[in-house]
Amino acid sequence: MAASGTGSLVFIDDVTADRSSKMNSEVYRATHSAHIQPNATKLIGRRFTVQEGVEVRVARIFNTFGSRMHMNDGRVVSNFILQALQGEPLTVYGSGSQTRAFQYVSDLVNGLVALMNSNVSSPVNLGNPEEHTILEFAQMIKSLVVSRSHIQFLPEAQDDPQRRRPDIRKAKMLLGWEPVVPLEEGLNKTIQYFSKELEHQANNQYIPKPKAARMKKGRPRHN
Ligand SMILES: O=C(O)[C@H]1O[C@H](OP(=O)(O)OP(=O)(O)OC[C@H]2O[C@@H](n3ccc(=O)[nH]c3=O)[C@H](O)[C@@H]2O)[C@H](O)[C@@H](O)[C@@H]1O
């Protein structure tokens, strides 16, 4: 944390607070906590600026993946890569028609550095606007791993946003930043990292955690 009167402080805001497009706002409207979090970010930020003289920056980080991510955090990219590498079914929640847009971690780091070095104190979206369905992610990862895993459809997760895609016009205009790592390149790097990590596991196995608490009831189906 920056010392009194020096440097700047970056706050990580909740992506659901970005209401510039409807697709990012579903959870915001649905949950009370998502209402509190952005307000808290603003208030704490103002306090630091006024009382401590520390400059505040606010980053809204959209879906991010990459080498050194926690392999078992239950997110879609880590789950699919682990499953594909281990010949387990790739678990798609719902029909797989919901979309996400993923940025590679090095793009995010560059965005955060650009934000720190800027004088922009209002929230800035950092993410990759290239949008894909979850089923497309499953097929892409399966093919990059050259895996024989099949795709398993499980009941859809509760309150799962159907679309999420960042609007990064502000970051482009004010920070001169945009993501540069192509999705396939980022996925390949992450696959290599996961593959090496798996070799270090005692039994060479790592079972992805399902998001059990969020699942709706229903029967799994396969293709
Ligand atoms: O990284 C982020 O920015 C966000 O990641 C997650 O939110 P989510 O966008 O739902 O990301 P994932 O958990 O990776 O899920 C993405 C999609 O894939 C689906 N999914 C996930 C895991 C899986 O094995 N299979 C599967 O189909 C989910 O249902 C969802 O539709 C977190 O819940 C958010 O708090 C966080 O802001």
Side-chain angles (χ1 to χ4, degrees):
M1 186 167 287
S4 226
T6 61
S8 53
L9 191 64
V10 172
F11 276 101
I12 311 302
D13 197 6
D14 194 300
V15 296
T16 56
D18 172 36
R19 286 181 287 175
S20 57
S21 82
K22 191 175 173 287
M23 69 185 83
N24 300 325
S25 68
E26 295 168 47
V27 181
Y28 185 92
R29 285 198 307 273
T31 64
H32 193 57
S33 63
H35 183 69
I36 294 165
Q37 191 173 340
N39 286 335
T41 312
K42 264 186 228 152
L43 285 173
I44 297 167
R46 221 172 281 147
R47 181 195 169 277
F48 269 98
T49 310
V50 173
Q51 291 187 9
E52 312 292 342
V54 171
E55 291 191 35
V56 169
R57 307 283 174 262
V58 182
R60 265 189 208 133
I61 300 176
F62 284 70
N63 296 69
T64 306
F65 74 100
S67 309
R68 301 177 73 179
M69 74 187 288
H70 196 301
M71 301 221 297
N72 212 6
D73 74 359
R75 289 184 192 198
V76 72
V77 173
S78 46
N79 276 7
F80 285 173
I81 294 179
L82 276 180
Q83 290 162 338
L85 284 171
Q86 296 178 119
E88 297 290 328
L90 273 65
T91 52
V92 170
Y93 302 156
S95 67
S97 60
Q98 69 272 36
T99 67
R100 290 295 185 276
F102 277 94
Q103 71 181 328
Y104 190 66
V105 62
S106 59
D107 281 332
L108 170 64
V109 171
N110 290 335
L112 287 171
V113 171
L115 179 62
M116 287 285 275
N117 290 333
S118 77
N119 58 3
V120 183
S121 57
S122 54
V124 178
N125 292 347
L126 297 176
N128 190 326
E130 188 184 316
E131 189 181 9
H132 291 276
T133 68
I134 294 303
L135 187 55
E136 282 166 1
F137 276 114
Q139 285 156 344
M140 214 181 292
I141 290 171
K142 189 167 129 63
S143 121
L144 290 173
V145 170
V146 196
S147 167
R148 294 215 306 238
S149 297
H150 67 269
I151 291 174
Q152 181 182 30
F153 292 91
L154 293 175
E156 80 183 82
Q158 253 167 4
D159 302 323
D160 199 8
Q162 289 308 293
R163 289 188 78 189
R164 185 180 287 151
R165 178 178 181 267
D167 177 343
I168 60 164
R169 281 175 297 182
K170 186 169 169 182
K172 273 189 189 173
M173 204 164 67
L174 298 182
L175 309 180
W177 171 88
E178 64 182 314
V180 294
V181 180
L183 178 62
E184 212 173 286
E185 186 183 316
L187 285 175
N188 273 328
K189 284 185 179 164
T190 314
I191 290 166
Q192 275 174 26
Y193 168 79
F194 274 40
S195 195
K196 284 212 181 99
E197 283 296 296
L198 276 179
E199 286 169 19
H200 298 135
Q201 299 298 315
N203 57 3
N204 210 20
Q205 246 216 339
Y206 216 109
I207 310 291
K209 259 194 228 153
K211 280 186 178 167
R214 287 177 56 195
M215 303 295 286
K216 279 185 188 162
K217 284 191 181 139
R219 292 167 72 100
R221 58 194 169 90
H222 302 260
N223 79 344

